[in-house]
Amino acid sequence: MAGIFFLSNLSCSESSNKEISRGVYFWKSKFSLSTSELSWLEETKIQKLYVRFFDVDWNPNLNKAVPVGDVTIITKKIAGVELIPVIFITNRTLLNLPDSLISELSNNIYKKILSKLSLFETHSTNEIQLDCDWTETTREKYFNLIKQLKQLTEIDKIKLTATIRLHQVKFFNKTGVPPVNRGMLMFYNMSYVSDIRTKNSIYNEEIAKKYLVNFDKYPLDLDVVLPAFSWACWFRNGRLKNLINDIKAKDLEANSNFVKDGKNIFRAVKETYLKGNYILTGDYLRTEETDFNTTLDAAELIAPHIKNKKITVSIYHLSGEVIKNYGKDKLTDIVDRFN
């Protein structure tokens, strides 16, 4: 994954000539902000709120690309923050999408975004972001989709941005560079989450260091989003079944339905529900966690490689843990690494 009160921009020190904005991602099925979340946005001087509006996936029964996972809009007014819609597009959509339907899909995506924006009391936005882990096989279709969508957004003076993975910077000569206004570097999800042997796919400093090349050559200005989340990777018969958000090791340690089989590996010893997911006996969960120190370390590692003068530094994603552990001073510590 958007009315605006602008708090001076601001996280810049007097010795820095960088213009830094602060952002946070909202990645839940209901856009409903509590009083504490609204207070946190104001206290931390968040300027951009990236909200996942919906996904685009391929429906084999209908043989067409369809919107799925629409966010339900509950909070319709947010003072002081620019709301930025984020649309996730699955790679299989691009694999199956005929070239003849690219223009139609871009029109449908834009119409749906505008329809959702109209639900807000102040429904203008300056940016729309696309999220897609494209491949060499789907690159041409994805870039064509971007070009078609960009023609529509430019009429309304809306910038189009896209998420960028680390491998898409390191190997940009092979993966290509999307024809957008800016990129949002996702500085997390660094190894294979579906591999049961992975220790922590969210953030691994040693893996990250292997990808810190070609940033001086990458032709697109980059913003950065840093990890501030935890989840449990749920495996059945050795295969990843789902990701269960906001689960930590301490949660499973306190749950008698699980026994610890490793540092962050838990085995279900009884059938149970976990956040709406039906866990069977013998299923495994691998907890992956980040905290403030993880986010700060990630910021320190990537900051020297981001050379553009204007940058948005964001964290993923808005949650109770973030509100509790990423207060005004701590968020400033993170942002200041980019000065």
Side-chain angles (χ1 to χ4, degrees):
M1 91 233 346
I4 307 176
F5 104 158
F6 285 123
L7 296 154
S8 50
N9 358 17
L10 343 219
S11 348
C12 304
S13 66
E14 290 182 4
S15 60
S16 170
N17 59 357
K18 285 195 175 182
E19 181 184 337
I20 305 180
S21 300
R22 303 178 180 196
V24 66
Y25 278 73
F26 186 96
W27 215 262
K28 301 175 186 177
S29 58
K30 288 186 178 180
F31 184 69
S32 178
L33 298 180
S34 65
T35 301
S36 58
E37 288 171 327
L38 290 168
S39 295
W40 182 85
L41 291 172
E42 183 176 358
E43 289 167 5
T44 55
K45 300 183 180 180
I46 294 293
Q47 293 148 282
K48 297 183 178 183
L49 181 57
Y50 295 85
V51 180
R52 186 196 69 85
F53 269 25
F54 57 89
D55 301 343
V56 177
D57 200 2
W58 186 260
N59 187 315
N61 296 320
L62 299 176
N63 199 35
K64 64 185 295 187
V66 296
V68 295
D70 280 32
V71 67
T72 302
I73 308 297
I74 306 297
T75 301
K76 298 182 178 180
K77 184 178 181 180
I78 323 149
V81 182
E82 179 186 356
L83 191 144
I84 299 167
V86 184
I87 313 303
F88 176 71
I89 303 173
T90 65
N91 198 53
R92 69 176 181 177
T93 295
L94 300 170
L95 282 169
N96 289 281
L97 184 70
D99 290 337
S100 58
L101 294 182
I102 291 176
S103 179
E104 179 183 328
L105 179 58
S106 66
N107 277 281
N108 289 342
I109 289 173
Y110 193 49
K111 286 178 182 177
K112 190 169 182 63
I113 292 171
L114 294 181
S115 176
K116 283 199 169 291
L117 281 172
S118 70
L119 298 176
F120 293 90
E121 291 186 23
T122 304
H123 57 267
S124 62
T125 186
N126 296 315
E127 178 183 344
I128 290 171
Q129 187 169 97
L130 299 181
D131 180 18
C132 178
D133 191 8
W134 77 90
T135 63
E136 288 184 63
T137 305
T138 59
R139 177 181 66 186
E140 186 175 348
K141 284 184 183 178
Y142 181 49
F143 290 5
N144 283 339
L145 178 65
I146 289 173
K147 289 174 184 176
Q148 297 278 351
L149 190 54
K150 197 175 180 182
Q151 289 179 4
L152 300 172
T153 61
E154 284 180 341
I155 294 172
D156 295 322
K157 297 180 170 56
I158 298 173
K159 294 179 180 178
L160 195 62
T161 62
T163 56
I164 307 293
R165 275 76 175 169
L166 278 171
H167 71 92
Q168 292 162 347
V169 175
K170 182 175 181 178
F171 303 112
F172 76 89
N173 285 322
K174 291 177 65 176
T175 63
V177 180
V180 291
N181 297 96
R182 299 177 67 86
M184 176 65 81
L185 180 71
M186 296 171 56
F187 202 59
Y188 55 86
N189 291 2
M190 296 175 176
S191 55
Y192 297 106
V193 67
S194 59
D195 189 337
I196 198 167
R197 297 166 297 180
T198 296
K199 294 180 179 179
N200 190 333
S201 68
I202 294 176
Y203 184 74
N204 184 308
E205 184 175 314
E206 293 307 309
I207 292 176
K209 287 178 179 178
K210 295 177 182 179
Y211 285 89
L212 296 180
V213 295
N214 283 338
F215 279 85
D216 56 332
K217 301 182 183 71
Y218 196 70
L220 200 61
D221 280 356
L222 291 173
D223 299 313
V224 177
V225 53
L226 303 163
F229 67 99
S230 303
W231 59 25
C233 309
W234 170 25
F235 291 88
R236 178 173 295 166
N237 299 323
R239 296 174 65 89
L240 181 68
K241 188 169 179 63
N242 200 7
L243 298 171
I244 308 175
N245 289 320
D246 302 323
I247 293 289
K248 293 191 172 187
K250 65 180 182 181
D251 301 319
L252 299 183
E253 288 170 351
N255 190 327
S256 61
N257 296 309
F258 298 91
V259 296
K260 200 168 186 177
D261 268 12
K263 183 180 179 181
N264 61 332
I265 304 295
F266 296 83
R267 176 169 50 87
V269 294
K270 187 178 179 181
E271 295 180 8
T272 186
Y273 280 96
L274 186 65
K275 291 204 169 186
N277 296 275
Y278 188 52
I279 312 294
L280 297 182
T281 302
D283 287 357
Y284 282 86
L285 286 97
R286 180 182 70 230
T287 57
E288 299 184 348
E289 304 180 23
T290 59
D291 56 19
F292 167 73
N293 289 326
T294 308
T295 313
L296 188 63
D297 288 346
E300 290 179 339
L301 185 59
I302 189 58
H305 300 274
I306 307 300
K307 302 299 185 182
N308 36 276
K309 299 298 183 183
K310 184 176 181 180
I311 180 173
T312 296
V313 177
S314 300
I315 57 174
Y316 178 96
H317 63 107
L318 185 58
S319 66
E321 287 290 319
V322 163
I323 290 172
K324 184 169 64 175
N325 300 315
Y326 293 76
K328 179 177 67 174
D329 293 341
K330 287 190 173 181
L331 195 64
T332 297
D333 284 345
I334 293 167
V335 171
D336 282 350
R337 295 303 184 272
F338 292 84
N339 280 323

